[in-house]
Each structure stands twice: as structure tokens, then as C-alpha cells.
Amino acid sequence: MLTTEFTVPQHRIQDLTDLMRTAWWMTDRTPADVHRLLDNSDIVVAITHDSTDRLVGFARVLTDYAYVALVLDVIVDESHRGSGIGALLLDAVVNHAALADVRSIELVCQPGLIPFYRRWGFTEQVGTSRLMRRTTDPRLTDGP
């Protein structure tokens, strides 16, 4: 059994930091960074495994609640990938009541994850729009 939470309690900050550090784009996250990103996220979904009380999945959303919602930092613990936790995260995000009237839910993913996100209606067909980025983090322009 898994539990889905829509907040991350203070005692989970280090757990979330550790989980995030397993992803190539988040290896330098600190507990202070994670605390700040949680404070400034509009929607947070965290999944814990009931029998172990271990944090095994996380996603967050930034939104204006009208036109756009941006899904960020979707991550599943490596030992639980392929078990449906990613699907639980995405279901919780796209079916969140606060996003029901949002015109566009968007995310950025690696090419290998496109088939996964298509299951929720995400598409790489975005008209003539192009992702642009201004960053000081070379991992975000050079890739994994």
C-alpha cells in the first residue's frame, strides 16, 4: 500500500533531498534548496511506502491556476521504478482539483520518457513553440 500526500512534512526534507540527488539534474540539491522549492511550489505530491515509511515518489507543480501549470521534478526511487508509482504521481497531478480549469499542463522530459507521459495526453507537438533556457548549470544544456 502506498500513501499519497499533498504536502511534504518537515521531517521528510532530508529524505526528499536524498531522493532528488539520485537524478542527474538534481545532484547538488541541499536541504535548504529543497525547503525553499517546497515553500514556493503551488502543488506538491509525495508518495510514501506504507510498510517502510520511505519516500518513494515526488512531483511538484508551478501554476497560475488559469492558463498554465508546469510539472517539475518528477522522480521515483530507483528501487521502485516500474511499479506504478510514476503513474500514481501523474494521476495525482493531472487529476488535481486545483488544475481542473487550467488550459495547459506542461513539462520537460528526456526523450526516453515521452511514451510514459503520452499516457496522460502530453505531446511533443507544441506548434512552433520552442523550449528556451537561460541557466548557469551546464547539466541543463549538456544533458546527462
Side-chain angles (χ1 to χ4, degrees), residues 15-29:
D15 295 342
L16 180 53
T17 304
D18 293 343
L19 177 60
M20 287 180 157
R21 287 179 179 167
T22 66
W24 64 268
W25 75 96
M26 297 189 276
T27 57
D28 61 346
R29 301 266 170 110

Side-chain angles (χ1 to χ4, degrees), residues 34-100:
V34 171
H35 183 72
R36 188 169 52 252
L37 76 81
L38 290 172
D39 283 349
N40 293 288
S41 295
D42 298 302
I43 297 171
V44 170
V45 179
I47 297 178
T48 56
H49 192 272
D50 283 344
S51 64
T52 62
D53 194 42
R54 183 173 175 201
L55 183 66
V56 294
F58 176 82
R60 67 188 182 105
V61 178
L62 301 179
T63 185
D64 60 17
Y65 296 101
Y67 296 100
V68 67
L70 179 62
V71 182
L72 298 165
D73 296 334
V74 178
I75 187 165
V76 174
D77 181 85
E78 290 181 72
S79 66
H80 287 80
R81 290 182 187 156
S83 68
I85 291 172
L88 288 173
L89 286 170
L90 265 289
D91 285 344
V93 168
V94 301
N95 296 314
H96 196 285
L99 300 179

Side-chain angles (χ1 to χ4, degrees), residues 100-121:
D101 295 324
V102 174
R103 185 176 293 175
S104 180
I105 299 175
E106 302 178 358
L107 56 79
V108 175
C109 72
Q110 294 296 301
L113 290 171
I114 290 172
F116 173 78
Y117 289 111
R118 278 189 181 140
R119 293 168 33 196
W120 288 269

